[in-house]
């Protein structure tokens, strides 16, 4: 009798606790700072395999990247196989055992990310989650997945087919599709970072948090060249107020180390992403990194700007033609100041410190030269290389 009463009481307590669990599944510690890690797409694209992901996990640890904060190892598109008779998603032959892969990645103190689409097909034409949202979320949780990138792809076509000529209805369908997977993830009770990928359509930064997005792509795809990277990065001006702990603007993954930009251009890429409090997801082959790539991806002083716990995205302060100054406020009252030279020739760029209340600042450090440069006067001038940057951290 007593046992029955106890069982009934514990059932009641768990029922009462349910809504709380649901709320707490999306815990405030999830993506409290912009997610850091690696993603397979920019380098491996459709060729990525289990062995590549294991090699990336090994290299993240051996290189020191894990200890610098790069925790998520994310498999992008092309891991998917067919569904079984019950509709459960299977991996394809490149990924023989996802659970074993997750165990391996976890054993290294890392987390594993995966990729899907709200549509029937992913962008590379593999199986998407349409009509199987909860089933897929449950499968991910069973495998031990910690991060999901959910890429619109074929769902965009469905929106147009189902609501032709009615963009409002189409956007509504899109919000609902992202919300549906958010609820499915919450229902698993596993903390899974939720990354929205729909190229910034319908100003996603305005509704991303409401559908549970921890980060959302703000643009189309990056590629490994200065024009595309800088077009994307510098177009982020004005979005700062939409970022906060748990919710980040995502101007796409890093191309550092993929070989088609100069070291100055990659330093611009890394600095701009840090000023933007952007997710830092390396996109290169980590098992073949040269010293320059390491020094850029693992500049701890630059990473600290990105990961600053205040969680404020930076913004453009001024632009005089191709010479731009961007700033980002930091937790301890300091300011990160980036002087970008987008022109084709070396140029001296000046920042007016008096207007920032920083005249006579005693603490000033050049984060790429790893040198103190203070105390400062009313302004600071740095000679900045073509397509390059000088990144400072300044406080009074
Ligand atoms: C889209 C995304 C990319 C990548 C590919 C995979 O283009 O924007 O980041 O995930 O799909 O097919």
């Amino acid at each position: 009798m007593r046992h029955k009463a106890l069982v009934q009481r514990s059932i009641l307590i768990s029922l009462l606790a349910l809504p709380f669990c649901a709320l707490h599944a999306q815990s405030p510690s999830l993506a409290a700072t912009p997610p850091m890690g690696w993603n397979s797409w920019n380098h491996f694209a459709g060729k990525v395999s289990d062995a590549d992901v294991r090699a990336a996990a090994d290299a993240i640890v051996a290189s020191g990247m894990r200890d610098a904060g790069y925790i998520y190892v994310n498999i992008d598109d092309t891991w998917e196989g067919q569904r079984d008779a019950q509709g459960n998603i299977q991996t394809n032959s490149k990924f023989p055992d996802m659970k074993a892969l997750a165990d391996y990645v976890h054993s290294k103190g890392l987390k594993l990310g995966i990729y899907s689409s709200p549509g029937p097909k992913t962008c590379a034409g593999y199986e998407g989650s349409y009509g199987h949202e909860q089933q897929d979320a449950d499968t991910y949780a069973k495998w031990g997945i910690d991060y999901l990138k959910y890429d619109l792809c074929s769902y965009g076509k469905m929106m147009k087919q189902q609501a032709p000529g009615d963009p409002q209805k189409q956007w509504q369908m899109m919000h609902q599709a992202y919300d549906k997977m958010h609820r499915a993830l919450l229902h698993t009770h596993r903390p899974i970072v939720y990354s929205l990928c729909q190229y910034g359509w319908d100003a996603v930064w305005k509704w991303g948090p409401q559908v549970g997005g921890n980060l959302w792509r703000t643009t189309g795809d990056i590629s490994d060249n200065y024009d595309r990277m800088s077009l994307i990065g510098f177009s982020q001006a004005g979005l700062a107020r939409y970022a906060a702990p748990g919710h980040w603007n995502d101007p796409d993954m890093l191309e550092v180390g993929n070989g088609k930009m100069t070291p100055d251009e990659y330093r611009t890429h890394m600095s701009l992403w840090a000023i933007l409090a952007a997710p830092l997801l390396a996109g290169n082959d980590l098992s073949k990194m040269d010293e320059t790539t390491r020094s850029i991806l693992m500049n701890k002083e630059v990473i600290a700007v990105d990961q600053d716990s205040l969680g404020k995205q930076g913004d453009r302060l001024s632009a005089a033609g191709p010479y731009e100054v961007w700033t980002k406020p930091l937790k301890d009252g300091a300011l990160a100041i980036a002087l970008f030279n987008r022109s084709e020739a070396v140029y001296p760029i000046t920042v007016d410190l008096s207007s920032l209340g920083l005249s006579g600042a005693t603490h000033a450090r050049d984060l790429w030269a790893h040198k103190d440069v203070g105390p400062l006067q009313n302004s600071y001038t740095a000679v900045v290389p073509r397509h390059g940057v000088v990144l400072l951290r300044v406080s009074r």
Side-chain angles (χ1 to χ4, degrees):
M1 230 9 233
R2 188 157 173 263
H3 176 71
K4 201 175 162 201
L6 274 178
V7 169
Q8 276 171 349
R9 209 175 129 219
S10 66
I11 290 174
L12 185 68
I13 289 171
S14 22
L15 281 177
L16 285 174
L18 250 184
F20 270 107
C21 294
L23 282 176
H24 280 266
Q26 181 66 282
S27 88
S29 63
L30 205 58
T33 61
M36 289 178 69
W38 172 85
N39 173 292
S40 59
W41 187 254
N42 284 354
H43 180 82
F44 292 93
K47 293 203 185 79
V48 66
S49 68
D50 176 288
D52 296 324
V53 175
R54 283 173 194 251
D58 293 347
I60 272 197
V61 176
S63 63
M65 281 178 74
R66 178 193 62 190
D67 296 339
Y70 293 87
I71 293 297
Y72 289 95
V73 173
N74 293 348
I75 308 166
D76 208 278
D77 205 352
T78 80
W79 63 266
E80 310 87 340
Q82 300 303 311
R83 293 187 181 278
D84 69 12
Q86 286 72 46
N88 297 308
I89 186 76
Q90 312 286 297
T91 53
N92 63 40
S93 60
K94 296 190 295 150
F95 289 88
D97 187 342
M98 197 61 92
K99 171 85 175 74
L101 179 55
D103 289 346
Y104 183 77
V105 167
H106 291 155
S107 77
K108 304 240 148 192
L110 299 164
K111 294 180 182 291
L112 187 65
I114 211 165
Y115 168 100
S116 190
S117 170
K121 292 285 173 218
T122 67
C123 293
Y126 288 70
E127 194 68 18
S129 292
Y130 182 71
H132 295 273
E133 293 80 2
Q134 190 62 59
Q135 207 173 10
D136 285 0
D138 291 342
T139 301
Y140 304 153
K142 198 176 73 192
W143 284 340
I145 298 294
D146 308 291
Y147 184 116
L148 172 68
K149 173 174 169 183
Y150 207 43
D151 194 349
L152 192 71
C153 305
S154 63
Y155 194 80
K157 212 190 278 168
M158 283 182 64
M159 285 155 39
K160 289 200 182 99
Q161 280 164 355
Q162 291 185 20
D166 187 350
Q168 283 318 314
K169 179 85 199 4
Q170 291 173 16
W171 294 149
Q172 202 185 356
M173 281 179 70
M174 182 170 67
H175 302 177
Q176 283 163 355
Y178 277 95
D179 190 50
K180 190 168 199 175
M181 183 50 97
H182 168 54
R183 286 167 193 277
L185 293 175
L186 284 182
H187 201 251
T188 67
H189 297 286
R190 184 178 174 84
I192 298 178
V193 170
Y194 189 31
S195 157
L196 316 187
C197 178
Q198 42 77 280
Y199 338 115
W201 291 1
D202 192 31
V204 61
W205 42 90
K206 293 189 177 160
W207 53 271
Q210 283 139 41
V211 298
N214 296 115
L215 59 158
W216 45 80
R217 280 273 298 277
T218 53
T219 70
D221 290 12
I222 197 168
S223 54
D224 187 20
N225 68 72
Y226 178 77
D227 287 347
R228 182 67 186 152
M229 178 280 291
S230 58
L231 181 74
I232 285 180
F234 290 107
S235 75
Q236 302 300 296
L239 296 187
R241 69 194 161 104
Y242 300 104
H247 309 286
W248 307 102
N249 290 305
D250 172 13
D252 208 358
M253 304 164 297
L254 297 172
E255 292 282 7
V256 177
N258 278 333
K260 301 272 170 51
M261 288 189 240
T262 67
D264 279 327
E265 292 171 339
Y266 282 138
R267 279 188 279 272
T268 289
H269 187 7
M270 186 75 183
S271 306
L272 186 49
W273 265 236
I275 287 281
L276 294 171
L280 297 178
L281 295 168
N284 55 317
D285 182 353
L286 301 178
S287 63
K288 298 191 183 76
M289 273 196 288
D290 61 19
E291 209 30 57
T292 308
T293 303
R294 276 171 210 270
S295 72
I296 296 173
L297 286 175
M298 280 196 282
N299 184 326
K300 292 193 178 158
E301 297 185 271
V302 177
I303 292 173
V305 170
D306 179 82
Q307 294 289 302
D308 185 78
S309 62
L310 185 61
K312 283 228 180 289
Q313 179 171 333
D315 216 331
R316 180 186 281 137
L317 175 73
S318 63
Y323 314 116
E324 302 198 7
V325 179
W326 288 59
T327 59
K328 179 184 198 274
L330 305 173
K331 172 89 173 167
D332 62 358
L335 200 65
I337 307 178
L339 284 57
F340 293 106
N341 177 1
R342 300 177 67 181
S343 84
E344 295 303 318
V346 60
Y347 197 80
I349 302 181
T350 297
V351 53
D352 174 12
L353 294 168
S354 52
S355 65
L356 295 170
L358 285 171
S359 300
T362 43
H363 296 90
R365 194 161 164 83
D366 181 324
L367 305 186
W368 288 110
H370 299 293
K371 261 201 235 140
D372 292 335
V373 293
L376 303 180
Q377 308 299 316
N378 289 334
S379 68
Y380 183 79
T381 301
V383 175
V384 188
R386 162 192 183 266
H387 294 182
V389 61
V390 166
L391 182 60
L392 306 171
R393 185 184 203 287
V394 182
S395 62
R396 295 194 65 81

